[in-house]
Amino acid sequence: LEERRVVDWFNSKFDPERPGEVGDTWYLLPARWWQLWCEFTGPHAKSRRSVTLSPIDNASLVDHTSLRIGLNHRVDYEVVTAGAWRALQAWYGGPGPALPREVIEVEGRRELEMYPLRLKVTRTDEKGNVLLLDKVMEVSRAKVFSDVKESACALHGISGPVVVYHRSCLKVEWEEVDESKTLHDLGFIDGHWILLQMVSNMQTATLSGTRSPRAGRGALVAVGLQNLGNTCYMNASLQCLLHTPLLSRYFTVEYRFDLSTNGSWGMGGKLAVAFAELLADVESAKANGTGVVAPRAFRRTIGDFQPQFAGWRQQDAQEFLSVFLAGLSEDVNRTRNKPYVELKDSEGRPDEVVAQEFWSAHCRRERSAIAALFSSQFKSVLRCKVCGHENASFDPFSFMPIPLPQHDYRWITCSVVSIPKAGALDEHMMQVCARVPKTGTVSDLLQAVAGLLGLPPAELVAAEVAQGGYIFRRMEHRNALASLSDDARPMVFHAMPFAHFAPQLAPPACDEQPPAPRGADGATTAADVAMEGAAEEPEVAQAWMTPVAGSPAASSVPDDFGEVVVYLVHRRLRKVERYFLNPYKSELFGTPALMRVPASISPAKLYEAVFRHVWHFVPDHESSPGGWPFVLSSVNGDGSACSHCSWRRGCLGCEVPSADSAPVTLRDGDTLGIDWDAMVLEKEYKVKIANHVHTHESVELAQIERKSLERLKQCLDSLVKEEELTAYCRECTKVAGEYTEATHVKALRVWACGPLLVLQLKRFHSQGATSYKLHNLVKFPMTLDLNEYLAREGEQVVPNRSATAAPSTDPASLVAAAAGAQPSRMALYGGSGGDPPPDVVAEEEAEADVVGVESAAKMMRRNGDCSCCQGEGAEAKAEAVFNSLSRDLTTYQLYGVVNHIGGMGSGHYTAFVRGNAEASESGAPSHKWLCCDDDRVHEISEEDVVTANAYLLFYARSDVASNKAQWRDIFPAHAPEATAVDTEKVKKSTWARSPHGGGSSVGPPDVGRGASAGQLGGNGFCGVM
């Protein structure tokens, strides 16, 4: 408790949005260690006994010497103040490395710089020849280059005059540096090169042998995006957008005429300008051959728009795309004040008329090029099973979520450690894959493992093993498996009851006599008698054998077998150059073990039991009676020090004398260190046997099942499959005379196809406290035809079955309201309400259809048969909709895939993109597939595109993919009197978050179509089923 008070005094809660003053330093430490420390210093004495605190080891947070990419705050690491770090380091020590992070200010925004730039610094000799002496230095982006120059010279030991050059990669020329600017202003990226040219006469010196030919324009098909710290989700999504047909053309010039600088729903044009500048940076990197762009300005802007993307946590790629496209659409939305539009029920009217009402209402509110590109239209029909009343809605959508087949079980891979049989020494550790219920517990896991290996479930113990080679925590049988991620690899130990293998215990000598000395004349000692229940337990002589104050008594054994579970760790000594009290340091190696023994046991039998668990590592060992290849020591949980002596003594662990007559008293959860003899380790220890992991056949079977092929057509069939739900019924209400809900049948079809289609394979699921990811391999085609799922005009989507029951008035059914009730009147809620604003002008309309076929939208606009436009002039009717949907063009070409590699709550995002046709050097359309893994881009074959990691699929309609469709065929041109907005003024303007919620278009819930396919919902046009 005293430690807690000291740390609380120094520490303060870290807030990523308000990290502190510029120059403040914070320190990172492992989140797991911090959680244990909080338990250890908590108010409950029981928690202190159940945890073991080890020195602070940041090895899990670093890759070599730099912070690992993909870490999550409060999941992988915790942030503490400098004072708290110094206190914890003084108490617990640890190998480090220390991970200080400083608060910086870039472009008026303060942030904790989690990932400083790593620059490669090289130098020349006095003649100007480049030396192969590049060294890496870590430096802040906010530093002025003159300060960086001094550090770089010190790194190479240069004291004389130098000329500094830089370049972003080996493919571009060296350039001189403006030393008055910061690295951020200079556009430095991770891996940037700095060259220090040694000169004796600076006026005559020339840079010799350091120039590279500039890459020719068009040399690169794609450019990588640098990971700025857990931004792989953003990079993968942006790569697909960068390769989206028509999008880059629009954001070259045209978008400036549509910028909404005073709208209350977007970001005042800032998001659109940031995306346009990112596109320009990518094109520039392609032209000069740089190959990598650091999207810092874009990330800062999207972080201002939605703070959840400003931190360092991993995010969902689909959620990022939905938020970003919604904000982008609002920034270029020609509708400044969204009108209130009331929609009527279908009432048996022709589908084309009702569909056009919905589409016109959507276009009047979301009149942007983004909405035109990414919007399609569903037809959703609800039919009451009681009265037969039917209502159809035609909701726009931008993401089509595709359900994947799933089971009520999951696979968990674990390693089982047991005592091997003679002749099968390499089977002491076996990897198995157990199938368990998704809502199961650790007990279910042990039952499954026991069934696979033919072991008694009661003898199995599951535990988490730390990377250092010690048992971190035992898993209780009642613990839910939902807490285990898909990547978790728990260990299961076969802890055989001591009574089962005690008769087999024998000393390593050939004779059957017990090892001497047990007594003066070899007679049985009192400890042996105590084990057999023939005498009382004698007093314990050694201090380390005495129970710690506040801990359970030695006779208190929670095990079902009346025994305690003891952990074993393998240790060896290593001499260190710098030390405080002891020149030797113990280090762990190998896999820990776990065994059951009586709470009171003689040292001889304890050594015999331990040897029984490790004999297969030294099968050729020949020992004299009482001579063991190791010494047992009483150690703490991580095996780094004695569990009883004060740290001031520098004790590595009190030895358990094998020849002592006094019994050893053990407690449940104690750890014994197996200190191996150095000569035995060198000559007899079988490293290959110790490191070998035998693979059980269940692992291959699980892989086969995981890779079982699911075709996208099967998933689409399940999407449009009829389903039943409870919803409000107007006709039943009329009959009953009060609000009535009844069972409805819902059917879904595609009504019209938009230019672009984004399919989301629904891999991530949460059910109560259980979260999991589906790893199904879905075979998706390069060419997708939705004609089979297109709703036909006048088609009866839901079969009209005869009514068999009266309207339900049961109170229980009235309470069970299902999402998606269909009231008699439906409305789209606008920001300000009222009539269309007077400043909305008529726009130029593309008269020619893409392939000579009139779309339903244009036909309705021509006929003027749209209820939401009635009463308005022909000019308003003409501008109400844009000509982007098609019911004739239903074929799509795949051009991008976002992949998620890993499990729920962790993992890594990559993207597969198809090269744009204009990116080919020869002028012919480019059909190369590229893998974009952050800043690394390489070519892949088309066969490698389909994987079990696919998450988002990007399709372009056939006319768009073939470049037949032009912008004017999709979205009308700006008005002749429109003027381009100055983007520099937009960047310098101030922006405040909208009270509507995060600056995005968030309105009241659309209760009218909650059960329908696509809602206009809270993210503007980005509706999801």
Side-chain angles (χ1 to χ4, degrees):
L1 295 178
E2 183 64 26
E3 290 183 12
R4 172 62 69 91
R5 284 193 290 268
V6 172
V7 171
D8 288 346
W9 174 268
F10 285 112
N11 200 27
S12 60
K13 188 175 181 181
F14 175 73
D15 184 356
E17 292 191 33
R18 289 178 289 275
E21 300 296 327
V22 175
D24 288 353
T25 301
W26 298 78
Y27 281 79
L28 310 184
L29 49 79
R32 177 177 285 186
W33 189 96
W34 176 259
Q35 292 166 4
L36 276 180
W37 181 84
C38 292
E39 293 179 16
F40 183 76
T41 58
H44 304 293
K46 183 178 179 181
S47 64
R48 300 191 193 104
R49 179 67 189 92
S50 62
V51 298
T52 302
L53 279 178
S54 60
I56 304 174
D57 186 0
N58 285 335
S60 61
L61 303 181
V62 297
D63 184 6
H64 300 295
T65 58
S66 60
L67 191 67
R68 281 201 302 112
I69 298 293
L71 301 177
N72 289 314
H73 184 212
R74 294 193 176 93
V75 177
D76 301 299
Y77 68 89
E78 189 56 61
V79 184
V80 298
T81 61
W85 167 260
R86 286 194 294 267
L88 294 172
Q89 188 70 11
W91 291 328
Y92 298 97
L99 298 173
R101 290 298 182 264
E102 190 172 307
V103 177
I104 64 173
E105 184 171 356
V106 177
E107 296 184 2
R109 179 188 179 91
R110 293 180 184 177
E111 62 179 66
L112 185 67
E113 190 174 30
M114 290 287 292
Y115 295 90
L117 293 177
R118 290 175 59 83
L119 307 180
K120 299 177 181 179
V121 184
T122 187
R123 55 168 293 186
T124 69
D125 57 18
E126 294 184 356
K127 297 181 179 180
N129 298 313
V130 177
L131 303 178
L132 300 178
L133 293 174
D134 56 289
K135 298 182 179 181
V136 177
M137 64 179 296
E138 202 170 71
V139 63
S140 172
R141 291 182 288 116
K143 275 203 170 185
V144 179
F145 191 83
S146 58
D147 297 334
V148 177
K149 175 183 175 181
E150 293 182 7
S151 301
C153 291
L155 184 66
H156 278 276
I158 300 175
S159 58
V162 296
V163 177
V164 185
Y165 299 87
H166 79 100
R167 64 182 179 186
S168 58
C169 67
L170 298 176
K171 298 180 179 180
V172 298
E173 295 180 356
W174 293 104
E175 299 177 3
E176 292 194 38
V177 186
D178 184 351
E179 298 185 11
S180 64
K181 293 184 177 181
T182 65
L183 297 184
H184 174 78
D185 295 334
L186 291 170
F188 273 40
I189 63 175
D190 207 45
H192 216 92
W193 286 81
I194 294 179
L195 176 64
L196 306 174
Q197 183 188 15
M198 291 285 296
V199 292
S200 56
N201 187 338
M202 297 186 65
Q203 293 183 347
T204 60
T206 58
L207 191 62
S208 173
T210 61
R211 295 185 177 270
S212 302
R214 182 179 296 273
R217 180 173 297 273
L220 296 178
V221 178
V223 172
L225 299 176
Q226 190 174 94
N227 194 313
L228 305 177
N230 265 3
T231 57
C232 57
Y233 69 93
M234 181 183 75
N235 291 346
S237 304
L238 287 176
Q239 285 287 7
C240 291
L241 292 181
L242 293 175
H243 290 80
T244 296
L246 300 179
L247 194 62
S248 58
R249 301 179 193 173
Y250 174 75
F251 278 96
T252 303
V253 176
E254 184 72 19
Y255 83 101
R256 296 172 56 190
F257 293 90
D258 296 331
L259 279 176
S260 176
T261 58
N262 55 2
S264 60
W265 299 92
M267 201 179 176
K270 289 180 175 291
L271 204 57
V273 172
F275 183 64
E277 290 187 343
L278 176 63
L279 284 167
D281 291 342
V282 169
E283 292 302 319
S284 176
K286 285 183 182 180
N288 61 33
T290 303
V292 180
V293 170
R296 287 195 181 91
F298 175 84
R299 181 174 182 265
R300 211 162 34 248
T301 305
I302 190 67
D304 290 336
F305 182 62
Q306 284 293 341
Q308 69 192 82
F309 303 119
W312 308 102
R313 290 196 173 194
Q314 182 67 274
Q315 302 290 339
D316 181 77
Q318 189 276 333
E319 184 178 359
F320 165 78
L321 269 174
S322 178
V323 171
F324 170 61
L325 289 179
L328 191 64
S329 177
E330 295 299 343
D331 269 8
V332 293
N333 196 346
R334 293 176 180 175
T335 300
R336 302 300 188 251
N337 296 305
K338 298 188 177 184
Y340 172 86
V341 180
E342 184 175 310
L343 298 173
K344 299 186 296 184
D345 285 349
S346 57
E347 299 290 353
R349 292 180 295 156
D351 285 348
E352 191 175 58
V353 174
V354 181
Q356 181 56 24
E357 289 183 2
F358 276 78
W359 183 245
S360 297
H362 172 70
C363 293
R364 291 181 61 191
R365 292 171 48 84
E366 309 296 339
R367 301 182 63 246
S368 74
I370 307 300
L373 277 176
F374 287 92
S375 293
S376 298
Q377 198 172 16
F378 272 125
K379 176 184 179 181
S380 178
V381 179
L382 279 180
R383 188 188 64 80
C384 179
K385 295 185 67 175
V386 177
C387 66
H389 177 260
E390 184 176 293
N391 186 53
S393 60
F394 297 80
D395 296 294
F397 70 93
S398 55
F399 290 89
M400 182 187 291
I402 307 299
L404 302 183
Q406 57 177 310
H407 308 283
D408 56 357
Y409 60 83
R410 60 180 291 198
W411 293 93
I412 295 182
T413 303
C414 54
S415 297
V416 182
V417 179
S418 59
I419 302 175
K421 299 178 181 178
L425 302 184
D426 58 347
E427 295 185 6
H428 69 99
M429 186 160 57
M430 182 174 295
Q431 187 180 65
V432 302
C433 207
R435 193 171 78 169
V436 295
K438 286 181 179 177
T439 57
T441 61
V442 173
S443 178
D444 297 316
L445 174 62
L446 298 181
Q447 291 280 354
V449 172
L452 291 172
L453 302 181
L455 300 174
E459 297 180 4
L460 300 181
V461 178
E464 297 179 56
V465 175
Q467 189 175 7
Y470 62 92
I471 296 177
F472 173 72
R473 182 178 297 173
R474 200 187 312 175
M475 301 168 64
E476 300 295 335
H477 285 203
R478 64 179 179 275
N479 289 358
L481 294 175
S483 60
L484 289 179
S485 67
D486 295 333
D487 301 326
R489 295 294 183 266
M491 297 198 77
V492 176
F493 297 88
H494 181 203
M496 187 184 302
F498 183 79
H500 288 189
F501 68 85
Q504 307 173 17
L505 293 178
C510 296
D511 56 68
E512 296 299 327
Q513 298 299 321
R518 285 196 172 189
D521 56 354
T524 303
T525 64
D528 301 315
V529 177
M531 288 180 57
E532 298 169 0
E536 295 181 358
E537 179 180 319
E539 294 182 0
V540 180
Q542 276 79 3
W544 67 267
M545 297 180 185
T546 307
V548 178
S551 66
S555 59
S556 175
V557 285
D559 195 272
D560 295 337
F561 299 97
E563 298 167 348
V564 295
V565 174
V566 177
Y567 308 149
L568 305 175
V569 294
H570 302 272
R571 303 200 308 173
R572 56 191 173 196
L573 290 180
R574 176 173 57 88
K575 193 171 183 178
V576 294
E577 295 181 0
R578 297 181 180 181
Y579 60 92
F580 179 49
L581 296 172
N582 197 325
Y584 291 93
K585 178 182 179 181
S586 65
E587 63 179 10
L588 302 187
F589 70 99
T591 304
L594 184 149
M595 69 177 186
R596 283 190 173 97
V597 293
S600 180
I601 182 174
S602 70
K605 287 194 175 292
L606 178 61
Y607 269 80
E608 293 172 6
V610 172
F611 185 73
R612 176 67 177 170
H613 284 76
V614 300
W615 70 274
H616 49 284
F617 299 149
V618 287
D620 302 330
H621 178 71
E622 296 180 1
S623 298
S624 59
W628 304 100
F630 53 79
V631 173
L632 297 181
S633 302
S634 177
V635 298
N636 57 10
D638 67 348
S640 61
C642 183
S643 59
H644 298 284
C645 295
S646 171
W647 67 272
R648 298 181 181 87
R649 295 183 56 187
C651 180
L652 298 179
C654 290
E655 179 182 343
V656 181
S658 61
D660 204 323
S661 59
V664 179
T665 302
L666 298 170
R667 296 162 303 189
D668 193 70
D670 276 351
T671 302
L672 294 177
I674 304 176
D675 296 330
W676 286 89
D677 183 88
M679 295 299 293
V680 172
L681 284 179
E682 182 180 354
K683 297 182 178 181
E684 301 180 26
Y685 190 85
K686 306 297 183 184
V687 178
K688 289 185 178 180
I689 293 178
N691 295 337
H692 180 75
V693 179
H694 188 76
T695 304
H696 191 263
E697 59 182 4
S698 60
V699 176
E700 183 179 356
L701 294 176
Q703 291 176 348
I704 294 175
E705 180 169 328
R706 283 172 174 172
K707 293 181 179 180
S708 57
L709 189 65
E710 307 283 355
R711 298 194 176 275
L712 184 60
K713 182 182 182 304
Q714 297 173 296
C715 302
L716 287 171
D717 289 343
S718 62
L719 173 68
V720 300
K721 184 180 179 181
E722 292 183 7
E723 60 176 324
E724 291 188 359
L725 51 85
T726 302
Y728 165 81
C729 180
R730 185 185 63 182
E731 297 302 320
C732 291
T733 298
K734 289 181 180 179
V735 175
E738 58 181 350
Y739 178 88
T740 304
E741 293 182 351
T743 302
H744 286 67
V745 177
K746 172 188 171 183
L748 187 68
R749 292 291 187 275
V750 176
W751 174 255
C753 299
L756 302 174
L757 180 67
V758 183
L759 305 184
Q760 177 194 8
L761 303 182
K762 298 184 67 174
R763 296 193 179 276
F764 302 103
H765 294 267
S766 295
Q767 184 177 1
T770 304
S771 298
Y772 55 93
K773 176 189 174 183
L774 301 178
H775 297 271
N776 307 46
L777 174 61
V778 179
K779 175 68 175 179
F780 48 89
M782 297 295 114
T783 302
L784 174 67
D785 192 352
L786 294 181
N787 184 66
E788 179 181 349
Y789 306 99
L790 198 69
R792 309 303 173 187
E793 173 66 26
E795 176 187 13
Q796 189 176 8
V797 178
V798 182
N800 188 13
R801 302 177 181 89
S802 59
T804 58
S808 173
T809 59
D810 181 27
S813 64
L814 298 180
V815 174
Q822 293 280 342
S824 59
R825 305 185 70 82
M826 300 174 291
L828 302 176
Y829 295 91
S832 57
D835 297 327
D839 59 337
V840 177
V841 296
E843 300 170 354
E844 181 180 354
E845 174 184 351
E847 296 296 337
D849 288 311
V850 176
V851 289
V853 181
E854 268 190 325
S855 68
K858 188 173 181 181
M859 290 172 61
M860 293 304 305
R861 183 177 59 207
R862 181 195 61 192
N863 297 334
D865 193 14
C866 174
S867 63
C868 67
C869 294
Q870 290 178 1
E872 301 179 3
E875 187 175 331
K877 294 180 182 180
E879 69 177 12
V881 296
F882 35 81
N883 193 30
S884 60
L885 297 184
S886 175
R887 285 179 48 80
D888 300 283
L889 298 174
T890 60
T891 304
Y892 287 85
Q893 295 293 327
L894 183 73
Y895 71 89
V897 180
V898 170
N899 305 296
H900 180 269
I901 305 168
M904 185 77 179
S906 62
H908 180 63
Y909 283 96
T910 63
F912 297 153
V913 293
R914 194 175 187 180
N916 293 335
E918 61 269 24
S920 175
E921 297 180 21
S922 61
S926 173
H927 301 297
K928 293 180 179 179
W929 278 96
L930 303 170
C931 173
C932 302
D933 185 357
D934 288 332
D935 56 352
R936 297 176 296 276
V937 179
H938 62 274
E939 188 175 340
I940 60 173
S941 64
E942 187 174 288
E943 291 74 19
D944 297 331
V945 174
V946 179
T947 69
N949 299 319
Y951 178 40
L952 300 177
L953 309 179
F954 291 74
Y955 283 93
R957 205 170 58 196
S958 57
D959 58 326
V960 176
S962 61
N963 292 327
K964 293 181 179 179
Q966 302 300 318
W967 258 116
R968 298 300 172 262
D969 303 319
I970 304 297
F971 191 66
H974 59 269
E977 62 272 16
T979 58
V981 176
D982 187 349
T983 57
E984 290 300 321
K985 290 184 178 179
V986 173
K987 292 167 60 177
K988 295 178 181 178
S989 64
T990 58
W991 175 79
R993 191 173 307 281
S994 169
H996 303 294
S1000 60
S1001 177
V1002 180
D1006 190 355
V1007 296
R1009 293 183 310 284
S1012 302
Q1015 303 182 53
L1016 297 182
N1019 282 326
F1021 83 96
C1022 282
V1024 184
M1025 285 184 54

